Amino acid sequence: MKFITDWRQVLGKAWSVRLMLLAAFLSGVEVVSPWLGGFLEPGHLALFSALATSGAFVARFLAQKDFDHET
């Protein structure tokens, strides 16, 4: 394996990365939600995290017009 040449640009602009970060954030919120008053049912945060992860999977294969990706 080797890094792509424009990996910094990909980290900043790729929707797949943004959605993976959202999924990680939602998973963290699910862990601490009992201490925050349980404002959502436990399954809801897991569902939102799964949707964000699924979106990241799809976004990884879509061409994004914000930048040209080179390997």
Side-chain angles (χ1 to χ4, degrees):
M1 270 197 278
K2 74 175 196 175
F3 283 110
I4 56 176
T5 57
D6 59 346
W7 65 271
R8 287 183 180 95
Q9 187 178 14
V10 171
L11 271 179
K13 294 184 178 180
W15 276 101
S16 57
V17 174
R18 293 174 183 176
L19 289 168
M20 285 186 282
L21 289 172
L22 175 62
F25 173 77
L26 291 171
S27 294
V29 170
E30 183 176 20
V31 169
V32 299
S33 69
W35 294 288
L36 298 175
F39 57 94
L40 285 174
E41 296 290 323
H44 289 155
L45 287 169
L47 173 65
F48 296 147
S49 179
L51 289 174
T53 303
S54 300
F57 181 79
V58 171
R60 180 64 183 104
F61 295 102
L62 299 177
Q64 297 176 34
K65 59 184 172 182
D66 287 345
F67 59 93
D68 291 325
H69 171 66
E70 296 177 18
T71 56

